[in-house]
Amino acid sequence: MEPGLDPDHVSFVFADVILTEKLYARAREDDWAELLLIKPSDDEMTSTIVSLLPKLSNTDSDHRFMALNDLHDTLTSGPPGILRHESSLGPEVVDGILKRLDDNHGEVQGLAIKCLAPLVRRISSYLVALIFDRLPKIEFRNCIDDSVRSAALRTVITNLPQPVPGEAPSAPVIEAYRTISRYLFHNIVGRFVILRPRTAPLPGIEITRPLLVPVGDARVSADAIDVVVELGRCYGPLLRQEEIKALRDALNNILADEQSSSSAKKRAVVALSVLAIYFSDDLLSAFVSQLIEGFRDPHLAAPKRRLLVTITGAMARSISKRFGPHLQTLAPFILSPVGEAELVDQTERMAEDGESDSQLDEVREAALAALESFLTFCSADMRFYSSETVEAALRFLKYDPNLHDDDDDDDDDMAGSLEDADDLDFGDDADDDDDDYEFGDLEAFNDEGDVSWRVRRCAAKVLHALVLSRARGDLLEEGTLHQRIAPALVRRFKERDENVRLEILDVVTLFVRKTGESDLSLKLGGRGFDPSVILTSVHNRKRRRGSSDVSMLDAQAMVLPVTNVSASSSGPPDGLAAITPAIVRGALKLLEMKSQPTKQASVALLRILIVVRPGCLAEHLAETVKRIIELLTTSTSTSTGAVLASTVSGAASATGSSLRIETLSLVATLAQTHDAAVLRPFLPDVVSCVTTAARDRFYKISSEAIKVAEQLIRVVTSLPRRQSGEDASQPDLLGPLYDVVMDRANTVNVDSEVKQQAVHALGVILARSSRDVLSQPKRNAALGVLYERLQNEITRRAAMRAVHEVVLHASSSYDLPETWTRAVMVELSAQLRKANRSLRVAGLTGLKDLVLNPSGVQHLDRETTKVLKEALTPLLNTNDLHMLGPSLVMLTKFAELGPEVIDGAVVSAISSLALADLAGTVLDTLLNLVKTIGEQGAGAPLMNSLLQDVGVNGDPAVVGRLIGTLLVCGGPKTGVSLDDFVKELERAQDDKRKCLALSVIGEAALRLGLSSPLEPEAFIAHFRSKSDQVPLAAAMALGRAGVGDVAKYIPVVLDHLDKADISQYLLLHSIKEILQHRNVGKTGLAPFSKQIWEKVILVSQQEDNKALGAECVGRLIVIDPKSYLAPLQMYLRDQKASVRGVMISAFRYALSDSDESSDSLFHPMIAGTLKTILEDDDLENGRLAMSTLMAANHNKPRLIAPHFRQLLPPVITATIIKPELIREVQMGPFKHKIDDGLELRKTAFETLYAVVETAFPHVDVVEIFDRVMAGLSDEHDIGVLSNLTLSKLLALEPNETSRRLNEIADRFRAILSFKPKESAVKQEVEMAEEASKGALKATVQLMRAFPGVSGHAEIAASGPRPTATADSHQVWRYYCDWVRKEFHSQVKTIEQESSSRMDD
């Protein structure tokens, strides 16, 4: 190596395309020798490339095109090193492709650019440097601009190795960046940014045609700036601050150049927003200072001002967290052009000149677009300017300098003026069917030069962002939404431009949904609604008209998805009720227009409105039904014209079919939310239109119409029956519905979706039609069709749901004919052998409905019962407890009809169940079956099996209860008596036998009640046993015996509770058994309840007794809440933390076990009590308090939902790591940190997960997301909970989730990259695996939710220029690609499991 030549800074001097021999020989000696060594190869692909090179210079353009195409295919399919080790072939290929960039044939040029992609991935870095050196020097004679050169550079940059966020850059990535920095960067900015030692400038490198520097009269092109966008997107993390500053300065020069084209300035703004991600703090501060100086320029022209405003908005979208704090200074400059003062000045100038200032309108458009970005991405930082923002949006929502509006002076009393819907002036031609004039037709106004519509549209978008981000907070509480924003929006229904009008309708729809969503989920659940009815967006918010300049400058295309509804107890606020009549009248007016998109948006608005406020159309039904019939009858004929008009104007796509579907959905919701008597006068016309639509050839319309028909059937059948001689002229409404449903259900060539809907609707008809409404022949025909559909694989599930509907309402043999019932039972029992579990569950549910229905069970004969019993017996196991319960219920019913059903197989199955650890509802069902068997006198075989085959092999608590139940209910026929077990207890030496005997006599005493001969001392005597099991079994048996005779047992138990001779812990078990049994009520306990309360609280101070004591106290509150809620609140303020802890747990048990009858007593105190316990400073009590909050949320959501704004802050605070609770302990030679607040923090995150859906309408979304993001990096258990919470937040607030994708990617990458140490124990390895699996599941869920930003990076690079949205989620995209590559098999498995669950 020659002295003074630094291998890190070596540069090559290229003579045409071949390296000089001297430089090549020198390169052999340095660190790049491995890349440059010649490895001769006579590979077939190499020969192919050699043969193609001469053809690249062929005079025939077709030959050149085909040669390039073959070369592209060869390079794409060839091995990575195909050109890397060829000293001469590589430069020749590079030279051949570069020459074709200046081909006189455009397709050849395009293919040459395409060839660069696989080429740069297969050549060494020195050949890439050759490309960078040659491209600026090429004289393009066949191209009028630099678009080809720029496209070639972008292709090369995007196909070089790129850094992966979260990973250290690899050697090839560093080499690619160095090559760009050394051989390209100076030809981008026009100067050498980083001067290296002894090489200033680098030898052989010169600046030629810099991309960002104008040369002569030629200005910088937008294509050249796209190279900077790609450079920042691909290599931003590696760029040095000097390089970023140089690019920023070059872009600023372009923006400052008045001769730069508008397209170049737009791309420059995008480039700045991409580079801003990598600005240092100093660079960002300097950039903001430049913006402020620009705004303060006294000679600031409108175009320059608009540009500064646009840059500010782009920064907010790109780096919202870092840029948000600067809005305190920048926001006033953005609000200034949309302020009152400048509008007044413009009005005065217009009065003098008579012309509008279009440049000022463009500034306002940019300012409003920036405000929308601020509200969306920096909502917390914009709260200070909420009032000014609302004022600006409302001011320019009605801004129309070309049209005088008499209503502009009435805005201060807007809410009052809306009482009269006639104030909404829709024009004289709105009702003229013969006039082609429409508000959406710009040509009708001849306002081609008017840009005010863009200002109004941006103002509507600002209001959309306000409603979306602030509808749950101060704007709702202060009444701003209902008193100011909503009335202003409704008044603008008269908007003459359709694009603006659609935006306004979108905002009003969002306002209605957000206002009512706090109560919507509970309301819908109670009425049988499907909450997804409001989750369909009215229309997409894409740009609907000719291009807006601000739109093209957007650095991020916003997609504002709709959030799910949450539960609350508060109804829609009064403000919505006040504005509802005006919304309804305005929407009905809009339905008179000819615009299909406007009609569809108005229908969707009405649909959501009546979901939130059921019955609100009652006073407007005549007009509503009139418009509905018009839409259903005219949409088909106008669909073609609507599509053409939509295409021409760029409006939202709305066809006749989509409008009819939306209208039918409105009719269905109308039928669900309005009283049948109110709907009755309009039903004939509606039924006629719906039956016609049900026969439509388009399956989506037909399916939707069948759904509507089902709702209409419910309405028609709920109407009062016609009396003789009364309402004789009323038409038959059910007949047409029956005919169309039968036709759709019984026709072969009908779409399966339509047929399934028809089958279910048929079930509704059969269920809700009495003898005098539906004739016997029609009913038999419908039942026959339903049975046939039940046998069909495609319609079977729909038929099962229909059978469920029929059985649910059946009350006589007329409803369930004998032959049909037996056939359906047999068919349903056949489904129990299917492999598909969901089919088995559906079949079992339908079978249980039939068996438990008195009208169905009476048709059971011996043969059918035998078939059903044989089908149910295999289900008598613990493999699927969900199916075990219904099976036991049906067997109990069969046993009631006759003991012959209890054969050896059933007895054996019951005995096998006795060996399992059953509890809860399943155990109660099994006990009921055993009771029935005993009462039928068939208990001897079962008793023999339980004693001999089960005995002490099972859980004594379960087996003892079964034997005790059978002993009492079966009587002497069982072959054993109570005395036998008492004697067994006395002489048994085995602990298990004693436990079993105690359990048996305890259950027997319970069922014998007052006639039981057993005394309490018979159980208490065994409390002193040295066994670990017998005393507890005796305590449980004592409690169960006490249930049968409270007056005998309770005094004895309380007396022993005062003594120290036996364990208080065991006595608490006995008290708990007595209190929690359903047979013990307030009356029986009244003489002893106060004594129990006091003594239990006293003994609960001991650590071992706390949990049991709290459960006993909680049960006392459930039994008599009126007497004990007040003392509870007093004890919660006790000075002793242990007393408060017991009472907090007791309150939790009370909330979990109490029913709705006690809600009136809990309602006044629940919020204050929860707030008190959540503020307890004891760590353990804080954890118990949050568990209590979870219990309240689960059992009393209506009572606490309105108070979450006060209840959740302590929970949020508890999720934060507190350093003062972390202590260091010495363990031998090692020091370990112990976090005393970890358990409290875990419970806080668990609480957050449990309550997030109910609390969501009442909390700060950003704060919730912040804590979840922090939880992802916390301890393992907290990370798991945060993952689950993130899944809920994805459904509740997808918009905020989308903005957090990059942050989520960083957290998940850290989890997936963690590798346990080799010395890690098995538990640590399992925890790491579980955390990785959870992160992968969440990743797959997010990728499905946001497919547009989760694609492969290679696809994005080789496709069209990436959008700003892709740029803003670059970290997430690379993370997704990394996951697909590194965890391919796991991701595939998770996707398959998810698909299977969706199918089930």
Side-chain angles (χ1 to χ4, degrees):
M1 194 65 150
E2 292 185 6
L5 186 59
D6 188 348
D8 289 336
H9 303 140
V10 67
S11 60
F12 302 107
V13 181
F14 300 109
D16 198 17
V17 293
I18 305 298
L19 287 170
T20 62
E21 289 296 328
K22 181 178 179 181
L23 187 59
Y24 183 74
R26 188 180 300 173
R28 281 178 173 274
E29 302 175 12
D30 66 10
D31 295 338
W32 289 7
E34 182 181 351
L35 296 176
L36 301 178
L37 287 177
I38 301 176
K39 294 183 179 180
S41 173
D42 38 359
D43 185 88
E44 182 178 351
M45 288 189 175
T46 303
S47 302
T48 302
I49 294 175
V50 172
S51 65
L52 290 173
L53 289 178
K55 300 178 182 179
L56 297 179
S57 304
N58 196 290
T59 56
D60 191 336
S61 61
D62 291 340
H63 284 256
R64 297 195 301 273
F65 181 86
M66 289 186 291
L68 276 174
N69 188 63
D70 293 340
L71 179 61
H72 176 271
D73 294 342
T74 303
L75 291 173
T76 302
S77 60
I82 188 173
L83 296 175
R84 190 174 294 272
H85 305 302
E86 296 291 338
S87 61
S88 60
L89 182 58
E92 290 178 4
V93 174
V94 170
D95 180 57
I97 293 176
L98 291 181
K99 286 182 177 179
R100 296 281 63 82
L101 293 177
D102 192 33
D103 199 280
N104 57 8
H105 197 279
E107 292 185 359
V108 175
Q109 285 182 322
L111 192 53
I113 295 173
K114 188 178 178 181
C115 286
L116 288 173
L119 175 66
V120 298
R121 293 195 291 264
R122 285 164 173 77
I123 58 177
S124 57
S125 57
Y126 83 88
L127 289 180
V128 175
L130 170 61
I131 295 175
F132 286 149
D133 185 70
R134 286 288 308 280
L135 272 174
K137 298 177 181 178
I138 298 177
E139 294 285 346
F140 287 95
R141 296 179 296 272
N142 298 304
C143 186
I144 61 175
D145 55 24
D146 272 355
S147 59
V148 174
R149 190 195 320 273
S150 300
L153 284 172
R154 288 202 312 271
T155 303
V156 174
I157 291 173
T158 54
N159 284 278
L160 288 173
Q162 299 173 14
V164 177
E167 292 186 3
S170 61
V173 171
I174 294 176
E175 188 60 43
Y177 162 68
R178 287 179 178 175
T179 304
I180 293 173
S181 179
R182 295 169 182 172
Y183 302 106
L184 177 63
F185 202 84
H186 57 278
N187 273 325
I188 294 178
V189 299
R191 62 186 177 90
F192 292 98
V193 178
I194 301 176
L195 299 180
R196 296 173 175 80
R198 300 179 300 281
T199 56
L202 298 176
I205 301 299
E206 59 184 18
I207 298 175
T208 309
R209 286 191 187 85
L211 295 176
L212 300 185
V213 179
V215 179
D217 296 334
R219 315 320 294 171
V220 178
S221 67
D223 294 299
I225 300 175
D226 283 338
V227 177
V228 180
V229 175
E230 291 299 333
L231 182 61
R233 187 181 66 83
C234 298
Y235 292 95
L238 298 182
L239 290 176
R240 305 184 187 184
Q241 286 301 306
E242 296 91 336
E243 294 171 326
I244 294 176
K245 184 176 182 298
L247 291 171
R248 185 207 64 181
D249 293 341
L251 292 170
N252 283 341
N253 292 335
I254 295 170
L255 293 172
D257 188 355
E258 295 182 357
Q259 297 182 5
S260 296
S261 65
S262 61
S263 60
K265 290 183 177 181
K266 293 168 188 175
R267 296 307 297 167
V269 172
V270 174
L272 278 175
S273 67
V274 173
L275 291 174
I277 300 172
Y278 310 105
F279 280 3
S280 64
D281 292 339
D282 293 339
L283 199 58
L284 179 60
S285 298
F287 183 78
V288 172
S289 298
Q290 289 181 359
L291 287 176
I292 295 173
E293 291 175 5
F295 280 121
R296 288 176 176 170
D297 185 357
H299 305 292
L300 183 62
K304 177 69 173 179
R305 188 184 190 186
R306 172 174 170 268
L307 192 60
L308 292 173
V309 170
T310 304
I311 293 172
T312 307
M315 293 296 107
R317 290 188 290 270
S318 179
I319 50 172
S320 55
K321 282 191 175 181
R322 299 178 61 198
F323 195 75
H326 295 286
L327 290 181
Q328 185 176 1
T329 307
L330 290 170
F333 297 113
I334 308 302
L335 289 166
S336 177
V338 290
E340 180 69 23
E342 295 200 16
L343 181 59
V344 172
D345 291 343
Q346 182 196 12
T347 305
E348 293 175 354
R349 290 195 301 270
M350 284 186 62
E352 297 175 0
D353 303 337
E355 294 182 359
S356 176
D357 188 351
S358 60
Q359 288 189 339
L360 184 56
D361 285 346
E362 291 176 352
V363 174
R364 287 167 175 157
E365 179 192 5
L368 289 169
L371 288 175
E372 180 195 5
S373 300
F374 296 164
L375 292 169
T376 304
F377 294 94
C378 312
S379 57
D381 301 288
M382 280 297 290
R383 285 185 181 271
F384 183 76
Y385 297 101
S386 296
S387 178
E388 293 88 341
T389 304
V390 171
E391 292 287 350
L394 295 180
R395 182 180 298 119
F396 286 94
L397 183 67
K398 62 180 185 293
Y399 173 70
D400 196 346
N402 298 323
L403 185 66
H404 178 66
D405 191 349
D406 294 333
D407 294 330
D408 288 350
D409 298 332
D410 300 333
D411 292 330
D412 294 337
D413 193 25
M414 195 172 296
S417 66
L418 282 172
E419 294 300 324
D420 185 3
D422 294 335
D423 290 342
L424 302 175
D425 181 13
F426 288 83
D428 296 333
D429 297 322
D431 296 319
D432 190 356
D433 294 334
D434 297 325
D435 195 343
D436 293 334
Y437 170 80
E438 289 186 38
F439 287 114
D441 189 355
L442 292 179
E443 288 73 20
F445 284 94
N446 192 21
D447 59 351
E448 285 294 334
D450 179 27
V451 295
S452 64
W453 68 272
R454 300 207 305 246
V455 177
R456 297 195 301 276
R457 187 182 66 177
C458 287
K461 289 184 177 183
V462 171
L463 293 176
H464 189 283
L466 270 169
V467 174
L468 187 65
S469 60
R470 306 281 293 282
R472 302 184 185 91
D474 51 346
L475 293 185
L476 180 62
E477 295 173 354
E478 296 169 1
T480 303
L481 283 178
H482 298 96
Q483 297 173 13
R484 300 190 61 199
I485 295 178
L489 288 167
V490 176
R491 291 182 63 82
R492 291 309 302 173
F493 279 4
K494 63 185 179 181
E495 170 62 49
R496 62 186 176 89
D497 186 272
E498 181 174 53
N499 305 281
V500 183
R501 188 165 59 246
L502 290 175
E503 289 289 348
I504 291 171
L505 286 169
D506 196 19
V507 182
V508 176
T509 304
L510 179 66
F511 157 75
V512 172
R513 181 170 50 78
K514 285 288 185 180
T515 302
E517 74 179 0
S518 61
D519 188 57
L520 197 51
S521 62
L522 287 179
K523 183 191 304 178
L524 296 185
R527 298 177 64 90
F529 276 31
D530 179 5
S532 63
V533 71
I534 68 164
L535 299 182
T536 303
S537 180
V538 179
H539 58 278
N540 55 0
R541 303 195 72 236
K542 66 182 181 181
R543 316 202 184 279
R544 306 181 188 86
R545 194 163 172 180
S547 60
S548 165
D549 291 340
V550 172
S551 304
M552 298 180 67
L553 285 168
D554 282 348
Q556 180 163 3
M558 283 299 300
V559 179
L560 301 178
V562 181
T563 59
N564 285 336
V565 293
S566 302
S568 171
S569 64
S570 61
D574 293 338
L576 180 59
I579 198 72
T580 295
I583 295 176
V584 172
R585 289 191 289 264
L588 291 176
K589 272 285 188 180
L590 291 176
L591 291 179
E592 301 176 16
M593 301 183 66
K594 296 181 181 179
S595 167
Q596 294 263 18
T598 296
K599 288 180 179 179
Q600 185 164 327
S602 303
V603 169
L605 170 58
L606 288 173
R607 179 170 60 89
I608 292 180
L609 183 62
I610 61 178
V611 169
V612 175
R613 291 195 57 79
C616 65
L617 292 185
E619 298 179 1
H620 310 273
L621 272 181
E623 182 70 14
T624 303
V625 172
K626 176 183 176 183
R627 299 305 170 198
I628 286 174
I629 293 173
E630 290 176 356
L631 293 175
L632 291 178
T633 55
T634 62
S635 295
T636 304
S637 60
T638 61
S639 61
T640 305
V643 174
L644 293 176
S646 173
T647 304
V648 172
S649 65
S653 56
T655 64
S657 296
S658 64
L659 180 55
R660 291 180 74 192
I661 292 172
E662 191 73 42
T663 306
L664 287 168
S665 181
L666 171 62
V667 176
T669 312
L670 196 68
Q672 288 177 303
T673 56
H674 287 72
D675 187 78
V678 177
L679 295 172
R680 185 171 190 166
F682 312 101
L683 287 177
D685 292 335
V686 174
V687 168
S688 176
C689 291
V690 170
T691 53
T692 302
R695 293 186 171 90
D696 196 276
R697 291 179 297 176
F698 185 30
Y699 78 96
K700 288 188 177 180
I701 293 178
S702 181
S703 175
E704 191 67 32
I706 295 295
K707 293 179 185 178
V708 180
E710 180 179 325
Q711 298 303 325
L712 291 177
I713 291 167
R714 299 178 188 274
V715 172
V716 170
T717 53
S718 65
L719 291 171
R721 298 178 183 177
R722 288 183 294 174
Q723 301 296 325
S724 177
E726 195 176 299
D727 294 329
S729 60
Q730 180 181 348
D732 179 17
L733 298 176
L734 189 62
L737 294 171
Y738 172 88
D739 293 339
V740 72
V741 168
M742 281 288 288
D743 176 66
R744 299 291 89 183
N746 210 23
T747 304
V748 178
N749 59 346
V750 172
D751 186 85
S752 60
E753 181 180 340
V754 177
K755 192 174 294 186
Q756 290 168 3
Q757 292 292 341
V759 168
H760 188 267
L762 192 60
V764 175
I765 291 179
L766 291 169
R768 304 178 70 90
S769 301
S770 58
R771 190 188 305 268
D772 56 345
V773 174
L774 191 66
S775 65
Q776 188 67 52
K778 284 188 174 182
R779 185 173 190 85
N780 292 338
L783 289 171
V785 171
L786 187 56
Y787 179 66
E788 291 176 1
R789 297 301 101 197
L790 186 62
Q791 295 175 301
N792 186 278
E793 191 72 31
I794 296 175
T795 57
R796 179 171 290 142
R797 293 193 187 186
M800 286 180 175
R801 292 194 298 270
V803 169
H804 171 77
E805 194 81 23
V806 172
V807 177
L808 192 65
H809 294 81
S811 58
S812 66
S813 298
Y814 168 79
D815 300 317
L816 296 176
E818 180 177 347
T819 305
W820 184 84
T821 301
R822 292 176 180 173
V824 169
M825 284 182 174
V826 174
E827 182 63 32
L828 290 174
S829 67
Q831 308 310 313
L832 302 181
R833 295 186 291 270
K834 300 289 185 181
N836 190 311
R837 183 181 181 277
S838 62
L839 202 59
R840 296 200 307 273
V841 171
L844 186 66
T845 303
L847 198 57
K848 186 188 74 170
D849 294 337
L850 280 168
V851 171
L852 296 184
N853 188 294
S855 301
V857 73
Q858 68 180 356
H859 298 314
L860 276 175
D861 58 2
R862 185 181 299 274
E863 184 178 350
T864 306
T865 303
K866 181 180 179 182
V867 172
L868 299 184
K869 191 266 295 183
E870 291 176 352
L872 292 172
T873 303
L875 301 179
L876 300 181
N877 55 66
T878 56
N879 295 336
D880 193 336
L881 295 178
H882 185 72
M883 300 185 70
L884 174 60
S887 302
L888 291 172
V889 170
M890 283 185 278
L891 282 174
T892 302
K893 195 67 177 179
F894 296 158
E896 291 175 357
L897 299 178
E900 60 274 4
V901 74
I902 309 301
D903 56 11
V906 174
V907 170
S908 177
I910 294 175
S911 299
S912 64
L913 289 174
L915 292 170
D917 294 331
L918 299 178
T921 305
V922 175
L923 179 57
D924 292 340
T925 307
L926 180 59
L927 288 170
N928 195 31
L929 173 60
V930 172
K931 175 187 175 184
T932 304
I933 293 174
E935 291 173 345
Q936 292 292 326
L942 179 58
M943 178 65 79
N944 184 58
S945 178
L946 289 173
L947 292 175
Q948 295 185 4
D949 300 335
V950 181
V952 296
N953 296 323
D955 182 0
V958 175
V959 180
R961 292 188 64 183
L962 293 174
I963 294 176
T965 300
L966 187 60
L967 177 67
V968 175
C969 297
K973 292 184 180 180
T974 58
V976 292
S977 65
L978 180 60
D979 290 339
D980 294 333
F981 289 98
V982 173
K983 293 177 182 179
E984 175 70 15
L985 176 62
E986 294 174 352
R987 63 172 177 260
Q989 301 298 320
D990 184 10
D991 288 347
K992 288 188 176 180
R993 293 184 180 277
K994 287 185 177 181
C995 291
L996 179 60
L998 284 167
S999 181
V1000 170
I1001 61 177
E1003 185 69 22
L1006 183 152
R1007 295 189 177 273
L1008 288 172
L1010 299 178
S1011 61
S1012 172
L1014 298 172
E1015 296 294 330
E1017 294 298 336
F1019 301 96
I1020 295 176
H1022 295 276
F1023 278 22
R1024 297 181 178 86
S1025 173
K1026 296 181 179 180
S1027 169
D1028 294 335
Q1029 302 173 356
V1030 173
L1032 183 58
M1036 303 289 285
L1038 174 63
R1040 298 196 66 78
V1043 173
D1045 193 347
V1046 174
K1048 179 196 293 187
Y1049 280 79
I1050 280 290
V1052 176
V1053 173
L1054 293 177
D1055 182 57
H1056 281 283
L1057 200 61
D1058 291 333
K1059 302 176 182 178
D1061 56 336
I1062 57 175
S1063 171
Q1064 295 173 336
Y1065 176 79
L1066 295 175
L1067 293 171
L1068 286 176
H1069 264 292
S1070 300
I1071 294 175
K1072 186 191 77 169
E1073 283 292 324
I1074 295 174
L1075 294 177
Q1076 72 179 6
H1077 200 278
R1078 59 178 177 269
N1079 291 345
V1080 177
K1082 176 180 176 181
T1083 304
L1085 280 175
F1088 316 103
S1089 60
K1090 186 176 181 180
Q1091 192 178 2
I1092 295 174
W1093 172 271
E1094 294 173 350
K1095 291 191 175 184
V1096 168
I1097 292 177
L1098 181 63
V1099 300
S1100 297
Q1101 303 305 304
Q1102 299 180 20
E1103 189 66 31
D1104 293 341
N1105 297 340
K1106 282 185 178 180
L1108 274 175
E1111 199 167 348
C1112 294
V1113 173
R1115 188 60 194 171
L1116 279 172
I1117 296 173
V1118 172
I1119 295 173
D1120 190 4
K1122 189 174 182 180
S1123 300
Y1124 294 111
L1125 280 177
L1128 168 74
Q1129 292 176 283
M1130 181 188 68
Y1131 277 110
L1132 286 173
R1133 293 177 174 84
D1134 195 277
Q1135 293 182 353
K1136 292 183 179 180
S1138 59
V1139 174
R1140 298 197 306 272
V1142 171
M1143 303 313 290
I1144 291 172
S1145 297
F1147 189 42
R1148 182 181 78 232
Y1149 288 120
L1151 291 172
S1152 301
D1153 295 345
S1154 61
D1155 53 24
E1156 293 184 0
S1157 61
S1158 59
D1159 282 1
S1160 59
L1161 298 173
F1162 279 101
H1163 183 268
M1165 53 80 63
I1166 188 169
T1169 304
L1170 287 172
K1171 190 173 186 297
T1172 299
I1173 64 178
L1174 286 169
E1175 293 173 350
D1176 198 307
D1177 54 3
D1178 184 82
L1179 292 179
E1180 179 61 21
N1181 287 352
R1183 189 181 66 80
L1184 293 173
M1186 283 183 278
S1187 299
T1188 305
L1189 178 60
M1190 286 188 280
N1193 176 74
H1194 181 73
N1195 298 281
K1196 311 287 183 184
R1198 290 181 179 272
L1199 300 185
I1200 68 167
H1203 308 286
F1204 266 116
R1205 195 174 295 278
Q1206 293 78 38
L1207 297 178
L1208 211 57
V1211 179
I1212 297 293
T1213 303
T1215 62
I1216 302 173
I1217 298 176
K1218 296 178 176 58
E1220 63 272 17
L1221 296 178
I1222 300 176
R1223 53 191 173 90
E1224 196 174 70
V1225 296
Q1226 188 83 28
M1227 297 182 65
F1230 305 103
K1231 291 183 178 180
H1232 294 273
K1233 289 184 177 181
I1234 296 179
D1235 187 354
D1236 293 329
L1238 178 60
E1239 292 302 320
L1240 177 64
R1241 201 162 67 252
K1242 285 181 183 178
T1243 308
F1245 275 100
E1246 185 180 355
T1247 306
L1248 200 62
Y1249 167 74
V1251 307
V1252 65
E1253 291 171 309
T1254 310
F1256 195 72
H1258 312 282
V1259 297
D1260 185 355
V1261 177
V1262 176
E1263 188 177 26
I1264 295 292
F1265 269 93
D1266 287 341
R1267 299 317 310 147
V1268 171
M1269 293 298 103
L1272 290 174
S1273 302
D1274 210 320
E1275 295 288 336
H1276 171 263
D1277 292 340
I1278 295 176
V1280 172
L1281 289 168
S1282 299
N1283 257 336
L1284 297 174
T1285 309
L1286 183 62
S1287 299
K1288 286 188 175 182
L1289 290 174
L1290 172 61
L1292 292 169
E1293 189 57 69
N1295 197 45
E1296 181 66 23
T1297 307
S1298 174
R1299 291 196 290 272
R1300 300 276 185 156
L1301 286 178
N1302 287 343
E1303 188 177 356
I1304 293 171
D1306 292 335
R1307 311 278 181 172
F1308 282 173
R1309 185 185 289 275
I1311 295 172
L1312 296 173
S1313 301
F1314 174 75
K1315 303 296 181 185
K1317 298 179 181 178
E1318 294 182 0
S1319 58
V1321 298
K1322 181 180 179 182
Q1323 183 181 6
E1324 293 175 333
V1325 175
E1326 291 176 348
M1327 288 169 58
E1329 291 176 352
E1330 184 182 357
S1332 297
K1333 188 174 182 180
L1336 288 174
K1337 284 184 176 180
T1339 299
V1340 170
Q1341 189 177 12
L1342 289 167
M1343 287 193 294
R1344 286 187 171 182
F1346 306 105
V1349 295
S1350 303
H1352 294 275
E1354 292 80 1
I1355 297 175
S1358 60
R1361 182 172 61 214
T1363 63
T1365 302
D1367 288 333
S1368 62
H1369 293 101
Q1370 180 180 349
V1371 175
W1372 172 254
R1373 289 192 302 111
Y1374 276 105
Y1375 165 74
C1376 292
D1377 291 336
W1378 176 72
V1379 166
R1380 291 188 184 101
K1381 178 182 178 181
E1382 299 295 332
F1383 304 92
H1384 174 74
S1385 58
Q1386 295 97 314
V1387 170
K1388 188 175 181 180
T1389 301
I1390 293 171
E1391 290 176 342
Q1392 290 174 347
E1393 291 174 354
S1394 178
S1395 299
S1396 300
R1397 285 194 297 269
M1398 291 175 65
D1399 292 340
D1400 291 342

